[in-house]
């Protein structure tokens, strides 16, 4: 069992401080549901500043869009319940589809827009005249929680750019090692498939970290442009290595003489 390090304790203290600040402000402002602000803090807070900003922006945008749609749809269609249910179902389905097709942090905004509408609209069917107040309260309290966690993050910001650079270096090293082993034609199939999946998973995680790092403060985004270019050019390399390795392995099995002639070229390449 690994004990928490100082960064873990700092992250916990930051989260608790932001939550208590949100609770105090919500009670001081006499907001109807202070727990929405506290819950938002623990939903939005992230170890790295870029990820926190990305999730905070997506949560507020999604909450605002969902609340606005609920306010527009329920009073207009409350006298036609089947049509209202159909419109809300189409909205939630469309938001869910948008979240599935968008691989960036914006996908969270789509999800929020969908279920925020459901949370506000369905309970307000019996009292449509109160839906505007409910929507405003939710936007206010979600915004308050986001504001508190953003303020606390300014005290001890943790940029993700250094982690991105170290993971990029580790990924390129692993890909070079995978390429050398695969092009040799001597790698067992099970090991080859496992290494290929690992390189693909690490690359996908690198893409997600890069998307979050784009939301860092300007002084922490230095170098992201060339990192993005390098990642874009390196993305097809594992597929090319796999294609060449598959053919080299097949050639070794089906035509040993041709493999013997090709082996020196592959050895020189790796």
């Amino acid at each position: 069992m690994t004990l928490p390090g100082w960064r873990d304790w700092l992250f916990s203290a930051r989260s608790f401080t932001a939550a208590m600040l949100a609770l105090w402000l919500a009670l001081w402002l006499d907001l109807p549901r202070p727990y929405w602000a506290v819950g938002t803090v623990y939903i939005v807070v992230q170890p790295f500043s870029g990820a926190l900003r990305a999730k905070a922006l997506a949560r507020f945008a999604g909450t605002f869009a969902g609340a606005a749609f609920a306010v527009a749809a329920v009073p207009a269609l409350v006298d036609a319940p089947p049509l209202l249910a159909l419109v809300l179902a189409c909205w939630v389905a469309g938001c869910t589809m948008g979240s599935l097709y968008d691989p960036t942090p914006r996908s969270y905004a789509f999800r929020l827009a969908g279920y925020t509408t459901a949370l506000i609209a369905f309970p307000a069917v019996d009292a449509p005249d109160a839906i505007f107040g409910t929507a405003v309260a939710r936007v206010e309290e979600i915004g308050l929680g986001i504001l508190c966690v953003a303020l606390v993050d300014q005290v001890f910001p943790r940029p993700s750019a250094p982690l991105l650079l170290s993971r990029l270096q580790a990924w390129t090293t692993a890909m070079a090692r995978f390429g050398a082993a695969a092009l040799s034609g001597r790698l067992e199939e099970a090991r080859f498939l496992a290494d290929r999946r690992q390189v693909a998973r690490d690359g996908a995680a690198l893409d997600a970290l890069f998307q979050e790092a784009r939301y860092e403060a300007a002084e922490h985004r230095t170098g992201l442009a060339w990192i993005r270019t390098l990642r874009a050019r390196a993305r097809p390399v594992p597929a090319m290595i796999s294609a060449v390795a598959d053919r080299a392995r097949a050639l070794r099995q089906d035509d040993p003489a041709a493999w013997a002639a090709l082996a020196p070229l592959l050895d020189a390449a790796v």
Side-chain angles (χ1 to χ4, degrees), residues 28-216:
W28 181 63
L29 295 171
D30 197 24
L31 297 179
R33 296 176 180 85
Y35 57 86
W36 278 354
V38 177
T40 295
V41 170
Y42 282 104
I43 291 172
V44 169
V45 69
Q46 300 290 320
F48 295 99
S49 299
L52 186 151
R53 293 184 180 192
K55 196 164 188 178
L57 181 61
R59 185 169 181 82
F60 185 79
T63 300
F64 185 84
F69 186 84
V71 171
V74 172
L77 301 175
V78 70
D79 293 330
L83 181 57
L84 176 60
L86 177 62
V87 168
L88 293 179
C90 290
W91 171 261
V92 174
C95 292
T96 303
M97 184 182 300
S99 71
L100 294 176
Y101 279 94
D102 191 339
T104 69
R106 291 190 300 268
S107 63
Y108 186 56
F110 284 102
R111 292 198 301 271
L112 259 295
Y115 77 69
T116 296
T117 297
L119 287 174
I120 294 175
F122 287 115
V125 170
D126 293 331
D129 55 323
I131 190 171
F132 183 77
T134 303
V136 169
R138 184 165 183 87
V139 172
E140 287 177 343
E141 286 158 358
I142 297 298
L144 178 63
I146 290 172
L147 177 63
C148 291
V149 75
L151 288 175
V152 172
D153 181 66
Q154 297 302 309
V155 180
F156 296 106
R158 188 182 177 188
S160 56
L163 178 65
L164 177 62
L165 291 172
S166 64
R167 287 192 178 180
L168 178 63
Q169 182 179 8
W171 181 75
T172 52
T173 302
M175 187 170 60
R177 187 167 52 248
F178 164 69
L183 294 178
S184 69
R186 303 179 180 87
L187 193 63
E188 295 181 359
E189 184 174 1
R191 174 68 182 277
F192 169 74
L193 294 176
D195 288 350
R196 183 169 61 182
R197 285 195 295 267
Q198 185 64 45
V199 168
R201 281 196 299 266
D202 292 345
L206 195 64
D207 287 339
L209 187 60
F210 173 79
Q211 291 293 342
E212 294 173 351
R214 294 172 60 193
Y215 291 86
E216 297 278 3

Side-chain angles (χ1 to χ4, degrees), residues 206-260:
L206 195 64
D207 287 339
L209 187 60
F210 173 79
Q211 291 293 342
E212 294 173 351
R214 294 172 60 193
Y215 291 86
E216 297 278 3
E219 61 269 20
H220 299 307
R221 293 200 302 268
T222 304
L224 288 185
W226 72 262
I227 292 176
R228 183 178 186 179
T229 302
L230 175 62
R231 174 68 182 117
R233 293 183 178 179
R235 187 178 288 111
V237 173
M240 292 189 291
I241 292 174
S242 299
V244 174
D246 286 337
R247 285 158 178 78
R249 190 166 57 250
L251 184 65
R252 183 185 181 193
Q253 296 173 355
D254 300 337
D255 193 345
W259 166 255

